[in-house]
Amino acid sequence: MDNSADAFDVVILGAGSGGYSCALRASQLGLSVALVEKDKLGGTCLHVGCIPTKALLHAAEVADAARDSAKVGVTATFDGIDVPALHAYKDGVVTRLHKGLTGLVRGRGITVVEGEGRLVDQRTVEVAGRRLTGRHLVLATGSTPRTLPGLDVDGERVLTSDHALRLYRVPASVVVVGGGVIGCEFASVWRSFGAEVTIVEALPRLVPGEDEASSRALERAFRKRGITARTGVGFSAAERTASGVRLTLDDDQVLEAEVVLVAVGRGPVTEGLGFAEHGIELDRGFVVTDERCRTSVEGVFAVGDIVPGLQLAHRGFAQGIFVAEEIAGLEPRPIADETVPRVTYCDPEVASVGITEATARERYGDAVEVLTYDLGGNGKSQILQTQGFVKLVRRTDGPVVGIHLVGARVGEMVAEAQLIVGWEAHPADVAPLLHAHPTQGEALGEAHLALAGSPLHAHA
């Protein structure tokens, strides 16, 4: 191996969730690491994804609480959104986390190289004329918002999620094209801030990757909140008007709004980085890997959003740690997408882990049992004035293979759900576990009691 100052055990291209977690773990395991980033440490999740959007969602929750405070005997008023103060709050959260991460990375002795990196051979990344050689390369270049032909993003009237996070006004009306996670979260925020919101989703239901029961519950809740969802229809044309955008749908319906948010998913950032030229197999821009995150080139790994599958920060984070341990020879257990928890942080939240009822029936036929426990029987849910459910999917006389949750703050319950599914627990294994009262977590316990054949409440 090259013994120059720019030779490392691991060179990582991209410092988002997957890249920086890989760097931290590799350094912890005694490996020399170079971490290349063209923008800021933390990537999409920290700067234009998870953290800033959830800050906006928390502000939306506060707005709703003020608006509805009389229901709980508190006198308060909702007078509107102070947009500069909102952004100061959001940006303050991001800045503090960024400073903490920057200090942590530099404190571990990781060489951080700023600039856009590109592969020049199967072991070398070039950044602004500097060449970094690694015994192993890790590709973690992340993703970028997709758009659709005919929806020309201008950052003023037709927005991506990146633009929406920087919007210095609350629009009077919004059409959200795409009813997945990103679309539903922004729709929820804007509605709480006072905008009229319509979601257009080409597939038959919102959050189409979730269990059908979760989609139906979310659509009902959105209707009650005044959010219109047009599902099963796509868009055919868009034109800018004096006051906004006119959108024509496939069924010839015309929608007009001040802004349109294009939320049709995220594409991999791999083009022009030398991947294909140096033998790395791509599929529609995504890097093809095996279950151990190995690419088609020996010694080169890929993690995060550029790898086909769930585009979630915590998945990339776990893959980064996995690859560091793989390089160090620890033979870690691969990350299975079916054990990765998923949360849509709208109001109400939708959370899940494992497989849907439909997938279970495709896989196991009639050997499937399903139980739904309504949150109406849960004390904390009544306190929070939320509606929803816990839905369990199990193999008959076997383990629980899917848990699906709808309701306020149910994202906080998905960690226990992941343990249940990941450890292939049977309902009878979970039923004896104590859950603090009053918590929404009790609903998980009650649901498993019922599925184990010993329900305590009639709501199961």
Side-chain angles (χ1 to χ4, degrees):
M1 176 179 169
D2 184 356
N3 291 317
S4 71
D6 285 341
F8 301 87
D9 294 317
V10 187
V11 174
I12 304 167
L13 188 54
S17 299
Y20 83 72
S21 68
C22 185
L24 290 172
R25 183 63 175 135
S27 174
Q28 191 176 53
L29 293 170
L31 302 173
S32 59
V33 181
L35 183 60
V36 180
E37 174 54 52
K38 66 180 180 181
D39 197 356
K40 297 178 180 178
L41 291 178
T44 293
C45 171
L46 178 53
H47 298 285
V48 291
C50 317
I51 299 302
T53 57
K54 278 52 182 181
L56 293 183
L57 282 155
H58 176 63
E61 183 181 5
V62 173
D64 288 332
R67 186 185 287 112
D68 299 333
S69 63
K71 293 180 180 179
V72 297
V74 175
T75 301
T77 59
F78 172 70
D79 299 324
I81 302 299
D82 181 341
V83 177
L86 173 69
H87 282 292
Y89 156 68
K90 167 180 65 69
D91 295 342
V93 173
V94 171
T95 298
R96 288 189 295 275
L97 290 172
H98 178 243
K99 286 182 178 178
L101 176 61
T102 300
L104 181 62
V105 167
R106 296 192 187 281
R108 292 282 180 86
I110 296 165
T111 299
V112 177
V113 182
E114 298 179 357
E116 185 168 9
R118 186 180 186 280
L119 267 66
V120 292
D121 63 40
Q122 294 183 347
R123 287 291 181 276
T124 307
V125 172
E126 185 174 75
V127 189
R130 179 181 178 182
R131 295 199 168 193
L132 309 170
T133 301
R135 291 194 302 111
H136 303 276
L137 299 186
V138 181
L139 312 178
T141 46
S143 61
T144 190
R146 290 188 186 275
T147 187
L148 293 171
L151 269 178
D152 297 325
V153 173
D154 59 16
E156 295 182 8
R157 298 294 185 181
V158 181
L159 315 175
T160 67
S161 57
D162 290 0
H163 301 118
L165 286 169
R166 299 192 296 267
L167 194 64
Y168 261 78
R169 69 185 189 281
V170 176
S173 56
V174 183
V175 172
V176 178
V177 179
V181 173
I182 296 171
C184 286
E185 289 185 349
F186 273 101
S188 189
V189 166
W190 275 323
R191 184 56 186 156
S192 295
F193 288 172
E196 295 297 321
V197 181
T198 300
I199 303 173
V200 176
E201 170 55 56
L203 292 174
R205 53 193 175 90
L206 299 182
V207 286
E210 297 292 343
D211 190 88
E212 187 174 352
S214 298
S215 295
R216 290 198 304 267
L218 181 61
E219 288 167 10
R220 286 194 300 270
F222 272 12
R223 279 197 299 272
K224 290 181 179 179
R225 295 186 58 199
I227 298 172
T228 301
R230 293 295 317 280
T231 56
V233 62
F235 107 99
S236 58
E239 59 178 312
R240 184 154 178 174
T241 66
S243 59
V245 182
R246 180 180 296 114
L247 204 67
T248 303
L249 306 186
D250 290 341
D251 61 3
D252 295 327
Q253 182 182 359
V254 176
L255 304 175
E256 295 199 39
E258 183 180 329
V259 298
V260 170
L261 173 66
V262 186
V264 291
R266 298 181 64 87
V269 176
T270 55
E271 187 175 354
L273 300 180
F275 294 178
E277 294 90 325
H278 297 290
I280 295 169
E281 183 182 355
L282 302 178
D283 180 10
R284 294 168 295 174
F286 289 94
V287 178
V288 177
T289 66
D290 63 11
E291 67 171 6
R292 307 197 73 79
C293 298
R294 296 176 295 203
T295 72
S296 54
V297 174
E298 185 178 356
V300 179
F301 299 82
V303 299
D305 285 0
I306 63 172
V307 177
L310 297 170
Q311 290 182 311
L312 298 170
H314 47 281
R315 172 186 182 248
F317 188 87
Q319 288 177 332
I321 294 170
F322 170 88
V323 166
E325 293 179 353
E326 179 80 353
I327 290 171
L330 301 184
E331 299 183 0
R333 181 178 178 179
I335 310 300
D337 270 7
E338 287 186 358
T339 63
V340 174
R342 307 174 293 275
V343 185
T344 303
Y345 295 90
C346 52
D347 178 24
E349 291 184 353
V350 178
S352 63
V353 65
I355 60 177
T356 65
E357 178 183 351
T359 299
R361 295 196 184 283
E362 290 173 4
R363 189 174 298 178
Y364 306 120
D366 294 333
V368 173
E369 290 182 66
V370 175
L371 182 134
T372 300
Y373 180 87
D374 194 297
L375 291 184
N378 177 261
K380 186 61 177 286
S381 297
Q382 287 292 314
I383 292 167
L384 295 174
Q385 299 183 315
T386 189
Q387 297 178 330
F389 57 77
V390 172
K391 179 176 178 178
L392 306 181
V393 181
R394 75 175 297 200
R395 293 171 58 184
T396 302
D397 298 326
V400 176
V401 295
I403 299 179
H404 307 276
L405 313 165
V406 177
R409 307 182 187 180
V410 295
E412 302 297 333
M413 297 164 61
V414 81
E416 182 182 359
Q418 182 192 24
L419 291 176
I420 293 166
V421 173
W423 284 346
E424 299 180 348
H426 290 234
D429 297 326
V430 181
L433 300 179
L434 296 177
H435 293 80
H437 175 75
T439 63
Q440 287 186 289
E442 288 179 282
L444 270 174
E446 292 280 0
H448 283 85
L449 275 167
L451 197 54
S454 53
L456 292 183
H457 293 84
H459 292 284

